[in-house]
Amino acid sequence: MPKLTFPAAGEAMSAAFLGRFSGRAILGDVGEMAEAARKINRHAAAVAAAMRIIHGEQFHVLVDHEVGFVMVVRLS
């Protein structure tokens, strides 16, 4: 996951990030980006919890925001 920096208390900050692979600028508010990352993590955790209910086993979640990859895997 890319390192996100957060502004000092009370400051608003917009940022332009250069895409790692595409080389194109990704414009967005850092706060919005962090909230979107948290939302992805919550949804992946919800999938893992549903899998645990269905299958009765523990599942591990791996989210890689740099490559756009989400994995839910059964722990052995």
Side-chain angles (χ1 to χ4, degrees), residues 8-74:
E11 293 180 17
M13 180 172 135
S14 290
F17 295 97
L18 188 62
R20 180 176 177 180
F21 299 106
S22 66
R24 64 183 176 86
I26 302 169
L27 301 175
D29 182 82
V30 173
E32 286 180 48
M33 292 172 64
E35 178 56 34
R38 284 190 294 272
K39 185 175 182 180
I40 291 168
N41 293 339
R42 280 193 312 270
H43 286 296
V47 169
M51 295 287 281
R52 186 183 71 237
I53 291 168
I54 293 168
H55 300 287
E57 299 179 49
Q58 292 294 322
F59 286 80
H60 177 73
V61 173
L62 172 67
V63 178
D64 187 330
H65 294 278
E66 276 191 32
V67 277
F69 180 78
V70 177
M71 178 174 66
V72 178
V73 62
R74 179 180 294 148

